[in-house]
Amino acid sequence: MARGKLRIYLGSAPGVGKTYAMLSEAHRRIERGTDCVVAFVEHHDRPRTEVMLHGLEQLPRKELEYRGSRFTEMDVDAVLERSPAVALVDELAHTNVPGSRNAKRWQDVEELLSAGIDVVSTVNIQHLESLGDVAESITGVRQRETVPDEVVRRADQIELVDMSPQALRRRMAHGNIYKPDRIDASLSNYFRPGNLTALRELALLWVADRVDEYLQQYRGEHNIRSTWQARERIVVGLTGGPEGRTLIRRASRMAAKGSGSEILAVYIARSDGLTAASPKELAVQRTLVEDLGGTFHHVIGDDIPAALLDFARGVNATQIVLGSSRRKTWQYVFGPGVGATVARESGPDLDVHIVTHDEVAKGRGLPVARGARLGRSRIIWGWLVGVGGPALLTLLLTHVDADLGLANDMLLFLTLTVAAALVGGLLPALASAAFGSLLLNYYFTPPLHLWTISDSKNIVAIVVFVGVAISVASVVDLAARRTHQAARLRAESEILSFLAGSVLRGETSLDALLERVRETFGMESVALLERESDVAPWTCAGSVGPRPLGRPEDADVDMPVGDHMALALSGRVLPAENRRVLAAFAAQAAVVLDRRRLQSEADQARTLAEGNRIRTALLAAVSHDLRTPLAGIKAAVTSLRSDDVSWSEEDQAELLAGIEDGADRLDHLVGNLLDMSRLQTGTVTPLIREIDLDEVVPMALGGVPDGSAELDIPETLPMVAVDKGLLERAVANIVENAVKYSPDAEPVLVSASALGDRVELRVVDQGPGVPDAAKSRIFEPFQRYGDAPRGAGVGLGLAVARGFVEAMGGTLGAEDTPGGGLTMVLTLRAATGRPQDRPDLSAQVTS
């Protein structure tokens, strides 16, 4: 099911007209034939807003009791059951009463969007989470009800409802916002001109952020790499270390100094196995960035400074924030570091900020998630130290007039062997030991410059040197490998802990899990593939990243999950030691997919159960309500055909009248059954034309006894745009239902009135009425309220009437009648012009 679209009316302050604009949009959509309902709207006793609710279908609210008081909230289940095309939900940042389905109303809206329902909502700028402190500093009022910025940013449309401070204060003074007893206090406090001006500027700047998306698209299409400083955009470079939180908060303070600034946190991972940062720390930093209104990005790149600069220029950044290096002083022999390199190569269009923190010069500690294999650069350095180091040392010792002795020379060469083992591993260390022993023999052991050794003691010394060098190199290399293995196990345990937690939390997002796989292993794309049998083609159950794979055979890495499922990764070949963690991810992906399918099957089962309920009700109706008139017809026909009794003309007329009455009842029941079938299959196509109500309503009263209904249809009413046949059938069902429950001495009143661009038709009875909780159920199929006698109908009349009215773009609802009873309110669209002479093209309602 496609996700619904979200449209938000954003205002700078209460009373600018957000709700009014939303209701106006609803009327426009209904005029275009869109199924639009009011899921929750608060008019706050504002007359103009309350008038805009007329003519809109309002879904019942859910009542909740909290601390001895009763409150009403949006009934999410009712909206999902009604399943309109568009739902109006006011006050997006509202906090629901404890005991509600969700804690916040924006979470209710997310459920509606996931169900494919479009939502139109409202929110004020001061309710955005990132702007709460700013709004409080302006107005002195702390907003307790907030909505995450990302929820609003994800909206498909954001429309600013703008109004000058002077106009808003005039509206307040006229009593159009608050009641008279609150006007003076509001004008002198929250609604001061300075407050309103500052909030208005805040809203304008926030909405202007959306314009930047079009700028990014244009730069990408035209391959523009240079920075356009149209606005401040701050990139925070993260290493996954504890200093990341300090950098993010510092960048947030920098962004707060300039209106409209944006924060983008980026973590760059090397493509050599599991990422080199703690997944737990990265998750904390991602949450912090998003809470502060920024975004988190994960980039793969072996050259970290180049990847960081490419990312910054790609997003049109103006500033880069980096932390001071955690490396110790001696570690700078391997290079100047990321910060210095980025600052040197950033150019004049990027400002680089180096921020100090508590972890400066404390060292990086263990490589949390690096593999046991050393990187290519370290291996090269190991060979340079192991081979080039002894050569340089020999050159130095032979040109310095200092006789250190063979023992000291051996210690110097041994130091280089240990260094080669630390940097490049075992092989460079062994090469260093062998090469060093040859140099010691040739340059420092008598006779010099010959490969022979005259003193046997020196032979023992050389052999001991080689043995010690090889032993030390082996121990150092083994310790380094054990350290890497411990770091790998730690990283794997954190990842497996994350997977176990996701299982316990019941997370069901397959895309999020696959994205986690892509980030963890530094891959380009990840796809979960499945097939029905060994010979069936592969299908993609879910994928992330560009160019997802269609077959496991095309993947750089594939992990089978059972017989007919596989996880396919592209980007590079993973080492064997990573497959254990990958297998855990693959198993979890299969569990998530199965859980999603089980949920879908459960939803289908509920749909089937509802269908079975309707079929059971239909069978019950057929078994009784159709057999009753048939039994009367059969008895009357049998009596007339009987030769044993001589019937008088009066008796014959009475029996024939009974047959006619039974046939009429059958025709009515069968007609409603056929109409409901057409509504459920979506085959009702109204043919709209402009007519007068007084042409249709009197004809709809032909099925009720004379004197049981009174008409009050003014001649000055505008014409309505309806299908004549459908309207006649809907009104007939409504009036017949009202007459059925109205006392004999109280005729049903059918009146009409005009309201703006709508025309309301009211059917008023003085019967027992219907409680508020049951008003929505009376429009469901096969529903008969109260003690309606069997044979009085199958409970389809009002369901058919509502279906026909909504097919014509109208609404049908129920209200209480003052003094007791029920009033049916049928709202129709007023026609825009005079009718034209056209043939009657009304849709045929029954066969």
Side-chain angles (χ1 to χ4, degrees):
M1 177 183 296
R3 179 179 171 86
K5 294 183 178 180
L6 175 61
R7 178 170 183 169
I8 295 179
Y9 285 93
L10 178 67
S12 58
V16 295
K18 304 180 302 299
T19 304
Y20 190 93
M22 177 179 67
L23 296 176
S24 299
E25 174 65 19
H27 283 287
R28 287 192 293 271
R29 295 196 181 199
I30 291 177
E31 289 176 359
R32 296 193 295 266
T34 304
D35 182 16
C36 184
V37 302
V38 176
F40 192 96
V41 169
E42 286 285 2
H43 55 74
H44 298 292
D45 296 326
R46 297 169 188 170
R48 296 180 181 272
T49 305
E50 187 174 2
V51 168
M52 292 298 295
L53 284 170
H54 294 173
L56 298 177
E57 178 185 353
Q58 301 184 46
L59 297 183
R61 301 182 181 183
K62 185 176 183 180
E63 292 190 359
L64 296 170
E65 185 171 350
Y66 180 66
R67 294 183 178 178
S69 300
R70 298 195 65 81
F71 300 89
T72 60
E73 297 288 356
M74 181 175 69
D75 193 339
V76 180
D77 291 326
V79 181
L80 294 175
E81 182 179 359
R82 172 64 173 78
S83 188
V86 180
L88 308 183
V89 183
D90 204 5
E91 299 178 357
L92 185 63
H94 172 73
T95 301
N96 293 330
V97 174
S100 301
R101 184 190 188 101
N102 295 303
K104 305 287 290 187
R105 184 165 293 163
W106 64 264
Q107 296 171 323
D108 296 337
V109 168
E110 286 294 322
E111 285 197 41
L112 302 184
L113 295 173
S114 299
I117 301 174
D118 293 348
V119 177
V120 183
S121 189
T122 64
V123 70
N124 277 330
I125 191 66
Q126 63 268 29
H127 291 293
L128 297 184
E129 196 167 81
S130 66
L131 300 178
D133 295 340
V134 180
E136 182 181 10
S137 65
I138 295 172
T139 63
V141 178
R142 178 66 178 176
Q143 298 296 333
R144 300 186 181 275
E145 295 185 329
T146 60
V147 58
D149 290 48
E150 186 60 24
V151 174
V152 183
R153 287 184 181 274
R154 286 201 307 263
D156 298 275
Q157 296 184 57
I158 298 178
E159 183 170 333
L160 178 65
V161 183
D162 188 29
M163 177 174 287
S164 67
Q166 295 77 12
L168 184 57
R169 284 173 57 84
R170 283 197 302 270
R171 179 178 289 183
M172 170 69 74
H174 293 161
N176 293 329
I177 301 178
Y178 293 152
K179 293 181 179 180
D181 57 346
R182 298 177 57 188
I183 293 178
D184 290 340
S186 299
L187 289 175
S188 58
N189 291 282
Y190 193 94
F191 285 81
R192 294 195 301 267
N195 290 0
L196 298 179
T197 301
L199 292 174
R200 185 189 187 195
E201 181 183 11
L202 203 61
L204 289 170
L205 290 172
W206 196 92
V207 173
D209 290 349
R210 299 298 296 266
V211 180
D212 191 63
E213 297 179 5
Y214 299 101
L215 176 61
Q216 293 295 337
Q217 181 180 357
Y218 178 85
R219 284 169 51 84
E221 292 174 352
H222 293 78
N223 196 26
I224 299 174
R225 303 293 296 170
S226 61
T227 300
W228 288 1
Q229 297 189 3
R231 56 176 300 175
E232 290 295 332
R233 183 172 285 104
I234 303 172
V235 170
V236 184
L238 301 178
T239 65
E243 78 281 359
R245 307 182 198 181
T246 302
L247 302 184
I248 294 170
R249 294 189 178 96
R250 176 58 178 156
S252 177
R253 292 194 296 271
M254 293 170 58
K257 296 179 180 179
S259 300
S261 299
E262 183 178 355
I263 302 174
L264 300 92
V266 57
Y267 170 70
I268 301 176
R270 298 183 185 274
S271 59
D272 58 351
L274 296 172
T275 51
S278 167
K280 184 183 301 183
E281 181 63 28
L282 280 180
V284 171
Q285 294 176 12
R286 179 196 293 267
T287 302
L288 178 60
V289 170
E290 293 173 350
D291 288 344
L292 294 174
T295 56
F296 184 91
H297 303 268
H298 189 282
V299 176
I300 305 299
D302 290 324
D303 189 344
I304 293 180
L308 179 60
L309 289 172
D310 287 342
F311 175 82
R313 294 192 175 102
V315 298
N316 200 28
T318 57
Q319 301 181 61
I320 297 178
V321 175
L322 299 173
S324 296
S325 178
R326 286 184 287 150
R327 296 190 299 176
K328 295 183 180 296
T329 303
W330 64 269
Q331 291 177 311
Y332 281 96
V333 299
F334 298 106
V338 173
T341 304
V342 170
R344 183 180 67 248
E345 299 179 1
S346 61
D349 54 350
L350 272 173
D351 296 333
V352 179
H353 303 267
I354 305 297
V355 179
T356 58
H357 49 84
D358 295 336
E359 304 296 323
V360 174
K362 290 186 178 180
R364 292 183 176 273
L366 294 178
V368 175
R370 293 292 299 273
R373 298 182 307 162
L374 298 174
R376 176 178 298 180
S377 61
R378 286 193 59 178
I379 293 177
I380 293 175
W381 275 101
W383 283 101
L384 289 177
V385 173
V387 177
L392 292 176
L393 180 61
T394 300
L395 182 64
L396 177 65
L397 293 176
T398 55
H399 287 76
V400 174
D401 188 13
D403 187 8
L404 300 178
L406 182 60
N408 291 328
D409 294 337
M410 287 184 177
L411 289 177
L412 292 176
F413 279 93
L414 182 62
T415 301
L416 292 176
T417 302
V418 173
L422 287 172
V423 176
L426 181 60
L427 291 180
L430 295 178
S432 177
F435 188 45
S437 65
L438 293 176
L439 293 177
L440 284 170
N441 180 12
Y442 191 81
Y443 288 101
F444 302 102
T445 304
L448 301 180
H449 305 111
L450 293 174
W451 296 108
T452 59
I453 302 176
S454 60
D455 192 348
S456 60
K457 295 180 180 179
N458 292 337
I459 297 177
V460 174
I462 294 294
V463 172
V464 170
F465 165 76
V466 173
V468 171
I470 293 175
S471 300
V472 171
S474 301
V475 171
V476 171
D477 180 73
L478 180 62
R481 291 182 181 274
R482 291 290 184 266
T483 299
H484 286 302
Q485 290 174 1
R488 170 171 293 280
L489 291 176
R490 174 184 171 186
E492 289 182 1
S493 65
E494 289 182 349
I495 293 172
L496 295 175
S497 174
F498 165 79
L499 288 176
S502 66
V503 173
L504 295 176
R505 292 189 297 270
E507 297 178 358
T508 59
S509 175
L510 181 60
D511 290 343
L513 181 63
L514 296 181
E515 180 64 28
R516 177 77 183 198
V517 175
R518 191 175 74 90
E519 291 184 358
T520 300
F521 296 100
M523 307 301 286
E524 291 183 0
S525 66
V526 180
L528 183 62
L529 307 176
E530 61 175 346
R531 60 181 178 181
E532 297 180 357
S533 64
D534 293 336
V535 296
W538 290 96
T539 59
C540 182
S543 64
V544 294
R547 299 180 299 278
L549 300 172
R551 299 187 309 164
E553 294 82 2
D554 300 333
D556 294 317
V557 182
D558 70 285
M559 175 59 64
V561 188
D563 296 331
H564 303 124
M565 189 177 295
L567 192 65
L569 299 85
S570 66
R572 62 186 179 86
V573 178
L574 290 180
E577 57 266 25
N578 286 349
R579 295 187 67 85
R580 180 172 58 178
V581 178
L582 183 60
F585 272 112
Q588 176 65 8
V591 170
V592 170
L593 182 61
D594 290 341
R595 184 179 299 162
R596 188 173 68 179
R597 287 177 174 168
L598 289 174
Q599 181 63 39
S600 176
E601 292 175 359
D603 295 339
Q604 293 177 2
R606 283 193 292 268
T607 302
L608 292 175
E610 177 65 18
N612 289 332
R613 184 190 70 81
I614 293 178
R615 280 192 291 271
T616 301
L618 175 59
L619 291 174
V622 171
S623 64
H624 185 280
D625 295 292
L626 294 183
R627 291 181 61 186
T628 300
L630 282 175
I633 294 174
K634 175 66 175 177
V637 172
T638 302
S639 298
L640 287 174
R641 296 188 62 187
S642 175
D643 297 332
D644 299 337
V645 180
S646 178
W647 301 100
S648 64
E649 293 183 0
E650 292 80 4
D651 293 336
Q652 292 180 2
E654 184 177 352
L655 290 173
L656 290 173
I659 294 174
E660 183 180 13
D661 180 65
D664 290 340
R665 290 172 59 189
L666 280 176
D667 179 70
H668 183 75
L669 293 173
V670 173
N672 275 337
L673 289 172
L674 292 176
D675 292 339
M676 181 52 61
S677 176
R678 294 174 62 208
L679 286 170
Q680 289 183 340
T681 56
T683 58
V684 175
T685 304
L687 299 174
I688 305 298
R689 59 176 301 200
E690 298 177 357
I691 63 172
D692 288 316
L693 278 182
D694 53 12
E695 296 179 16
V696 181
V697 177
M699 299 175 60
L701 304 184
V704 298
D706 294 338
S708 60
E710 296 181 355
L711 286 178
D712 182 14
I713 310 294
E715 296 181 356
T716 57
L717 278 179
M719 304 180 76
V720 291
V722 296
D723 182 297
K724 182 178 179 181
L726 296 183
L727 179 60
E728 180 181 343
R729 187 56 181 272
V731 174
N733 284 358
I734 297 171
V735 173
E736 290 174 9
N737 184 79
V739 170
K740 184 191 307 180
Y741 290 97
S742 186
D744 295 337
E746 296 290 343
V748 172
L749 175 62
V750 182
S751 63
S753 59
L755 182 64
D757 58 349
R758 318 292 291 177
V759 174
E760 283 189 354
L761 183 69
R762 292 177 171 265
V763 181
V764 184
D765 69 61
Q766 303 294 328
V770 176
D772 292 339
K775 283 187 173 64
S776 61
R777 295 200 303 270
I778 62 176
F779 294 102
E780 297 177 1
F782 306 106
Q783 297 292 323
R784 288 183 293 191
Y785 178 71
D787 56 352
R790 303 293 298 184
V794 294
L796 287 175
L798 293 181
V800 171
R802 170 174 275 189
F804 284 168
V805 171
E806 291 178 349
M808 296 183 291
T811 59
L812 177 61
E815 299 177 356
D816 292 329
T817 301
L822 189 68
T823 299
M824 291 290 178
V825 183
L826 192 157
T827 306
L828 301 169
R829 292 177 297 171
T832 57
R834 298 301 303 169
Q836 301 177 359
D837 294 333
R838 297 175 53 189
D840 190 342
L841 298 177
S842 301
Q844 294 297 320
V845 180
T846 60
S847 60

